[in-house]
Amino acid sequence: MNDRLTEYPLVINTLKRFNLYPEVRWPLRHLLNNTVCLSSEVNHLFCSLVLQVVLASWYRAYTSTMDFLGFPTKMCWTINRGEGLDPVESCEGLGDPAYFYVTFVFLLNGAMMSLFFIYGTYLSGSRLGGTVTVLCFFFNHGESTRVMWTPPLRESFSYPFLVLQMLLLTYILRNPSKNTMMALGISNIFFMLPWQFAQFVLLTQVASLFASYILGYLSPAKMQSVLVTHMISLAVCFLLMFGNSMLLTSFYASSLVSIWVSWTVMQCLAWVVSTVILKFMLSVIFGASDDAHISSLIKSKFTSYKDFDTMMYTCAAEFDFIETETLIRYIKTMLLPINVLIVAFIAGRTIQDIIVFLRNKTTEKSEDDEMEHLQLVAFAVLAVLIMRLKLFLTPHMCIMSCLICSRQLFGWVGGKFKLQLTVVGILSIMAVQGIANLQSQWGIIGEFSNFPQEELLEWVKDNTSPNAVFAGAMPTMASVKLSTGRAIVNHPHYEDAGLRERTKMVYAMYSRKPAEVVKQNLIKLQVDFFILEDSWCTRRSKPGCSMPEIWDVEDAQNAGKVPLCTLMWRDSRPHFSTVFHNNIYKVLRVPKTVRDMR
């Protein structure tokens, strides 16, 4: 709550700032030996406090019990790495904190597969539907999750609760009750607390519900009950995160209020307009501009607009438009054709219902199928615009696939047995590419090694003061803080407006600005050492996306000059002094006086 190391010299409340419950150092550092977070990015280091406290308690109870009974909890060995490298210890078993942590992350996501089965069974009315959902997920595993690569990602804790939340919402649309509404609110909280992007997912859900209401698929009473539940959940999260203004100024919060007050004619248009207006009014009232980059990012997708912050996103592959290869992989596993077929049938039935309703003013409608259909469309739009968000689209397509077992939609195929036989045939075709995908996933075996960074971090620990302040590339700064305990001025939590401005000042090293200007920026931030990486100066994911080219958009007056990072890599004098370098990293001392240059 009083962290001065993460954005030195600022003192920040990380519980409030990061829109999630971080690793609380004072109990968990001792319980988990400060090794629970394995990712190299700060915004992936922080995980759900509730879950971590539970894990920490379980870890302490487990190790204490096993020690009392005399059972070994881990097996360790020393690895001789050769080539002059120091040996390292490696351990396996639940007695190892990191192993224990990752095991339960995998267990949580394994439990999520049970939810997928239950969801698919409930939605389709057939256990075969649940089987279809689970098989589709595994056949498209590489497009559905990242938990196997980076277990501590916040979505690893959050997404299973979204699946639970959607299951509960589907149940409520059929059989509403106070208990399920309460369960929905709790799942909302557990979904929102660990992950700041949860609000955007819930926005698409609210939009889908509102569209279902407009089309007459959702009664006003149910709509009001769900809205109240969402509002209460949002309020609880706002309090638990010490009044994080980004929650109240989000499109999600604005949409809830807008729907509540626009229960009149031209509701859909009124909701869209009032949501946008209210969102910007709240942003002005609370002085919050943290999510302004989201609006700019969306704007850049439809126009030629670009600035430094948007290009920092759009130049990364995961924030680009969805890849053609992804769509091809969907087609090969039959996931996309099946969903197109299901959506076409639901859309056709919806049009028929609307026509009947307009003629007779009454019709029987399936609320949950329509809501899931609209949610899928929303996720599809997000995934097309931002490739990373296919991690929402793919699992939802797997859920929708269960509807091929729905007699309500495909009863025309024939009797129950004939429909099941048809589904088994479709699964057989899907399995051809699906099993190949699984074998490819299972075949990925590797180990992590980054000796240049290890050498850098060891040097920092041995040759700098514990009070030294560092600046540099965001992922590297996260590693410096985690592994050395030194203060840093920037990190990868790029969603904060102030942090974006600080990072921009730091990244001026990769621009074409004069060295003196950059040095003064670093002195203003009270930086002692800058970690320069040549790869950040030369790396280019696509035309116009090297750091100097990104800066040319923002700093046109210096375009055409040799990048400062290139000059500093050759020779850092007279503005900085080089105190460490290897083939990847170069540490520059930021001089405060003439004496510091020696």
Side-chain angles (χ1 to χ4, degrees), residues 298-564:
I298 295 172
K299 181 180 177 182
S300 71
K301 292 293 182 178
F302 297 100
T303 67
S304 59
Y305 176 80
K306 56 184 177 180
D307 60 21
F308 182 87
D309 291 329
T310 57
M311 291 191 70
M312 286 290 288
Y313 279 101
T314 56
C315 282
E318 58 268 29
F319 286 96
D320 203 350
F321 291 100
I322 194 168
E323 299 170 317
T324 306
E325 290 78 5
T326 299
L327 299 178
I328 293 173
R329 287 192 286 267
Y330 287 156
I331 293 172
K332 286 182 176 179
T333 59
M334 295 292 290
L335 186 63
L336 184 58
I338 287 172
N339 271 267
V340 169
L341 179 65
I342 291 170
V343 168
F345 270 93
I346 294 176
R349 194 183 65 179
T350 302
I351 293 171
Q352 289 178 348
D353 287 346
I354 292 173
I355 293 173
V356 172
F357 178 76
L358 292 174
R359 287 176 178 175
N360 307 323
K361 302 299 181 182
T362 180
T363 183
E364 293 184 2
K365 303 176 180 180
S366 175
E367 301 165 344
D368 49 354
D369 286 0
E370 183 62 26
M371 193 276 290
E372 292 297 335
H373 166 224
L374 293 169
Q375 181 86 70
L376 176 66
V377 172
F379 283 159
V381 172
L382 290 176
V384 168
L385 293 177
I386 300 175
M387 189 267 288
R388 180 179 177 180
L389 298 183
K390 70 180 181 181
L391 299 173
F392 290 129
L393 174 63
T394 312
H396 210 80
M397 290 172 72
C398 296
I399 293 170
M400 290 291 290
S401 296
C402 75
L403 291 176
I404 61 172
C405 303
S406 172
R407 291 189 55 77
Q408 200 174 6
L409 281 178
F410 296 100
W412 53 269
V413 172
K416 181 178 179 181
F417 178 74
K418 191 173 182 180
L419 178 60
Q420 290 177 340
L421 201 62
T422 303
V423 172
V424 171
I426 293 173
L427 284 175
S428 300
I429 298 173
M430 296 174 71
V432 175
Q433 183 61 42
I435 291 174
N437 290 347
L438 280 172
Q439 290 173 337
S440 176
Q441 292 269 303
W442 290 329
I444 301 173
I445 301 174
E447 61 182 11
F448 175 77
S449 179
N450 188 346
F451 177 68
Q453 188 174 95
E454 180 184 335
E455 187 180 30
L456 166 70
L457 297 175
E458 291 293 342
W459 180 88
V460 170
K461 288 194 290 186
D462 295 339
N463 296 277
T464 64
S465 165
N467 298 321
V469 181
F470 284 79
M474 292 184 284
T476 305
M477 289 302 96
S479 295
V480 167
K481 179 178 182 292
L482 177 66
S483 300
T484 71
R486 301 302 192 267
I488 57 176
V489 300
N490 65 310
H491 54 75
H493 193 263
Y494 206 64
E495 286 69 37
D496 178 74
L499 193 279
R500 290 199 297 273
E501 191 59 35
R502 293 165 71 85
T503 297
K504 193 173 178 181
M505 292 174 67
V506 170
Y507 278 23
M509 181 67 77
Y510 298 101
S511 70
R512 307 177 197 272
K513 293 179 180 292
E516 186 61 29
V517 173
V518 176
K519 184 176 78 171
Q520 292 304 317
N521 282 347
L522 297 175
I523 291 174
K524 182 179 179 180
L525 293 172
Q526 302 183 33
V527 173
D528 296 313
F529 298 97
F530 184 95
I531 299 179
L532 179 65
E533 300 176 51
D534 186 52
S535 61
W536 278 71
C537 195
T538 57
R539 183 173 57 198
R540 192 186 195 205
S541 58
K542 58 183 179 180
C545 278
S546 68
M547 282 303 303
E549 289 173 319
I550 292 175
W551 265 107
D552 287 344
V553 174
E554 194 80 14
D555 184 32
Q557 63 183 18
N558 287 307
K561 296 181 180 178
V562 178
L564 178 60

Side-chain angles (χ1 to χ4, degrees), residues 29-47:
R29 186 177 220 170
H30 303 293
L31 294 177
L32 296 183
N33 300 330
N34 200 25
T35 59
V36 294
C37 286
L38 310 179
S39 172
S40 63
E41 298 187 24
V42 163
N43 58 333
H44 295 157
L45 298 180
F46 301 124
C47 314

Side-chain angles (χ1 to χ4, degrees), residues 47-67:
C47 314
S48 167
L49 172 63
V50 176
L51 184 54
Q52 288 222 24
V53 169
V54 171
L55 286 180
S57 302
W58 288 352
Y59 175 75
R60 181 168 59 179
Y62 171 76
T63 53
S64 299
T65 303
M66 293 297 104
D67 289 345

